[in-house]
Amino acid sequence: MIACVAVVGHQNNPLYLQSFTGADDALKLHHIVHCSLDVIDERVNNPKRSVITLNESYLGLLYPTESYKVYGYLSNTKVKFLVVTTDLDVKDTDIRSFFRRFHAAYVDAVSNPFHVPGKKIISRIFAVRVSGIVKAFAPGTYG
Amino acid sequence: MGREVAESCIDGVIIEMVSAYGRRFYATKPELAAHRIEAIGYQVGHQLIERYTMERPRFNDHLEVIKFICKDFWQELFKKQIDNLKTNHKGTFVLQDNNFRWLTRISIDPSSDNNDGSQGSSSEATNLLLYFPCGIIRGALSNLGIPCAVSADSSNLPFCSFMVRIKA
């Protein structure tokens, strides 16, 4: 189950943060997202140590804690997409397709002429779309 | 899933925007009009580049980014690629387009060919119009992490060249 999704701008400014657990641990999820940003920076700046090639957008599993896993995705414009999930086994292809849809929804939200680049995304349609993508995400559906 | 509009609508909007900013809003201050038009182009380029780089793997260096602008980005915007790219390898690039699509609709007034240096209204409108694609290029490059300054030169229409100076 996906606990939280986040979009962070290229100056590590939060653009969108939404948690889906309904509990009061939103703060903890935000903290996890924040720590993952460091992992992303490390992966991008030290290509020799990581296994991922320099050109890949999908960064893979960033940060496994005891109950959560964090996956990352970096766009060409240095916008970071993060998803925190509680599932234990999640297929790579599922997460990749999730990020593809998430990225598409983000691009549509940012193309709004009333959106100020760098400020938070306040579009309701974007929130609805992201909730839809999260609900449709179920491991094994695309296997 | 995109909707399409006729290209003449785009031409109409751009020409009207340039004329509105140049002749009505900032009629007495052409520098402000140019600045405003360039800022509009900046936001447009900024947002367009998000969409056009979505499927691509990440870029390695500045030259790849400029090549992307010359090929794919220009192809999406103007249905053709940049005809000539020059660089001095020190952060300056010149993009030459032999038939810039938005300039093909500009009419050149033959009676304003005087030598006393007075600016014909057609070249003024052309200069103002060229601030828009300069802004688009600047917005696109800065969203990809490359701050730069872009200027345009159109001594003989419809040939047009854009000079990109990357700020180090």
Side-chain angles (χ1 to χ4, degrees):
Chain A
M1 197 198 72
I2 292 194
C4 160
V5 295
V7 182
V8 180
H10 69 100
Q11 283 158 339
N12 285 351
N13 47 324
L15 294 175
Y16 185 75
L17 208 56
Q18 177 72 45
S19 59
F20 297 98
T21 51
D24 288 331
D25 54 355
L27 198 58
K28 187 168 75 162
L29 294 169
H30 291 195
H31 187 67
I32 294 179
V33 164
H34 204 253
C35 296
S36 321
L37 294 177
D38 287 334
V39 181
I40 293 188
D41 281 335
E42 197 188 296
R43 289 264 182 110
V44 167
N45 295 334
N46 293 337
K48 304 179 212 25
R49 286 208 300 157
S50 69
V51 192
I52 311 207
T53 65
L54 199 48
N55 295 333
E56 185 80 49
S57 293
Y58 172 65
L59 298 172
L61 181 62
L62 297 176
Y63 191 64
T65 66
E66 68 279 353
S67 48
Y68 296 109
K69 285 182 174 182
V70 184
Y71 290 88
Y73 177 97
L74 184 64
S75 81
N76 258 314
T77 52
K78 305 285 179 287
V79 173
K80 307 165 185 84
F81 299 86
L82 293 142
V83 75
V84 180
T85 173
T86 53
D87 282 321
L88 289 179
D89 59 338
V90 187
K91 282 214 202 58
D92 216 36
T93 44
D94 294 342
I95 290 277
R96 277 179 198 262
S97 73
F98 176 89
F99 274 126
R100 228 183 4 251
R101 296 189 186 170
F102 195 14
H103 195 173
Y106 168 76
V107 163
D108 285 342
V110 162
S111 304
N112 184 351
F114 295 107
H115 172 256
V116 179
K119 292 275 186 320
K120 294 201 174 189
I121 298 177
I122 49 180
S123 157
R124 254 181 312 127
I125 297 185
F126 177 68
V128 165
R129 263 177 90 170
V130 169
S131 309
I133 298 175
V134 166
K135 281 202 190 65
F137 176 78
T141 342
Y142 308 104
Chain B
M1 210 182 77
R3 297 203 298 227
E4 296 189 344
V5 295
E7 189 183 349
S8 52
C9 299
I10 299 280
D11 284 332
V13 165
I14 293 175
I15 291 174
E16 184 54 33
M17 168 185 75
V18 169
S19 134
Y21 275 99
R23 304 238 180 91
R24 287 192 279 134
F25 298 161
Y26 298 110
T28 50
K29 292 168 267 185
E31 305 86 30
L32 280 186
H35 189 74
R36 202 68 196 87
I37 292 176
E38 210 263 352
I40 294 176
Y42 180 85
Q43 181 158 359
V44 170
H46 202 268
Q47 292 168 332
L48 279 180
I49 207 74
E50 280 280 4
R51 196 174 285 276
Y52 294 145
T53 55
M54 200 164 80
E55 298 288 320
R56 284 196 97 263
R58 288 205 305 278
F59 299 109
N60 283 332
D61 61 359
H62 288 184
L63 188 58
E64 264 195 34
V65 174
I66 297 281
K67 288 206 295 208
F68 172 79
I69 300 275
C70 292
K71 293 192 183 157
D72 302 307
F73 193 63
W74 221 253
Q75 180 81 35
E76 293 276 358
L77 284 185
F78 306 113
K79 301 204 182 107
K80 65 187 282 287
Q81 299 184 352
I82 286 275
D83 298 301
N84 207 347
L85 171 68
K86 298 193 194 134
T87 174
N88 70 352
H89 295 291
K90 291 201 199 97
T92 302
F93 296 88
V94 179
L95 285 67
Q96 286 175 347
D97 192 336
N98 291 339
N99 196 7
F100 191 51
R101 206 169 175 95
W102 291 344
L103 290 181
T104 55
R105 305 277 177 263
I106 299 268
S107 62
I108 307 175
D109 189 2
S111 64
S112 66
D113 266 338
N114 21 7
N115 296 338
D116 58 351
S118 67
Q119 193 128 22
S121 61
S122 60
S123 59
E124 213 177 276
T126 311
N127 283 342
L128 274 184
L129 186 128
L130 282 175
Y131 277 105
F132 188 52
C134 286
I136 291 185
I137 299 176
R138 189 169 74 89
L141 286 175
S142 79
N143 204 7
L144 290 172
I146 304 179
C148 58
V150 183
S151 60
D153 166 50
S154 70
S155 17
N156 40 332
L157 311 170
F159 171 87
C160 182
S161 71
F162 297 93
M163 174 147 35
V164 177
R165 264 178 297 265
I166 297 185
K167 298 183 187 161

